[in-house]
Amino acid sequence: MLRGSKVGLRARHEDDVPVLQAELGDDVVNASRAAGGPWLPITPGSKESPFAVDGKKEEGRVPFSVVELDGGALVGVATLWGIDTHNRSAHVGLGLLPSARGKSYGTDVVAVLCHYGFVVRGLHRLQIETLSDNHAMLRAAERNGFVREGVLRSAAWVMGEFLDEVLLGLLVQEWKPDSTN
């Protein structure tokens, strides 16, 4: 398990899937804002769930479950995705259960994903794209040293309207491992 100051990132367990699907995937607004595509209903227990554990390694994507270090409770998901081994870059993503929001877990998750990307995987650049009104993610990224690189105007169709996306980047030489402490 990868450890931050408040949370740990570990492999997804089969027991995590129903909780994640119910709390993140079945929430139409949350899933629409996070997925970059239209929300679709998923049958409980289906291998179609984006949180399903299938045991296959997916090239370019590393999914984690996020757990509290104090007690081990499941609090969300984190992913390093779009891993480009040639250009040594990847994208950072996370989702926290409603009960885990507002506790600075997002900032800690981003810090742990930076450690994983830069130290464990040897990447040069990490990138985050988030909706412009996702203030929690913007704060978590900026607290970890990410720099706003641009705005993709009206780039996301979410629940009947186009929303702007903010693009943030962090290079390994700019990264300060203790920037959130």
Side-chain angles (χ1 to χ4, degrees):
M1 175 168 26
L2 298 167
R3 295 176 185 275
S5 61
K6 296 181 177 191
V7 298
L9 275 54
R10 64 160 168 75
R12 180 86 30 86
H13 296 174
E14 200 64 51
D15 298 1
D16 299 344
V17 177
V19 174
L20 296 171
Q21 185 60 46
E23 298 230 15
L24 296 176
D26 291 344
D27 179 335
V28 177
V29 174
N30 179 72
S32 296
R33 291 176 57 82
W39 177 84
L40 299 170
I42 305 289
T43 304
S46 170
K47 291 297 180 192
E48 297 299 314
S49 170
F51 309 108
V53 177
D54 62 10
K56 294 186 298 187
K57 295 212 185 271
E58 187 178 330
E59 197 64 33
R61 184 174 183 273
V62 182
F64 296 98
S65 284
V66 180
V67 295
E68 290 177 322
L69 288 179
D70 185 21
L74 178 68
V75 296
V77 296
T79 309
L80 203 66
W81 61 277
I83 300 170
D84 179 337
T85 56
H86 176 73
N87 293 304
R88 294 177 45 207
S89 64
H91 301 259
V92 169
L94 68 99
L96 295 175
L97 303 181
S99 62
R101 296 175 189 157
K103 299 179 179 180
S104 297
Y105 290 161
T107 298
D108 203 30
V109 170
V110 172
V112 177
L113 284 173
C114 287
H115 174 82
Y116 179 72
F118 292 138
V119 176
V120 177
R121 299 296 297 249
L123 298 176
H124 175 72
R125 173 188 168 79
L126 294 176
Q127 180 171 313
I128 295 173
E129 301 89 9
T130 190
L131 297 175
S132 61
D133 64 354
N134 187 347
H135 303 293
M137 184 59 166
L138 292 168
R139 262 190 321 275
E142 290 172 341
R143 285 178 178 160
N144 279 285
F146 280 80
V147 174
R148 291 184 193 218
E149 296 180 331
V151 174
L152 306 172
R153 298 176 303 137
S154 293
W157 177 252
V158 179
M159 301 297 293
E161 66 179 321
F162 283 104
L163 299 175
D164 293 347
E165 287 184 333
V166 177
L167 174 67
L168 302 106
L170 179 63
L171 303 178
V172 68
Q173 65 267 25
E174 300 166 340
W175 177 55
K176 296 178 179 71
D178 59 350
S179 64
T180 60
N181 298 333

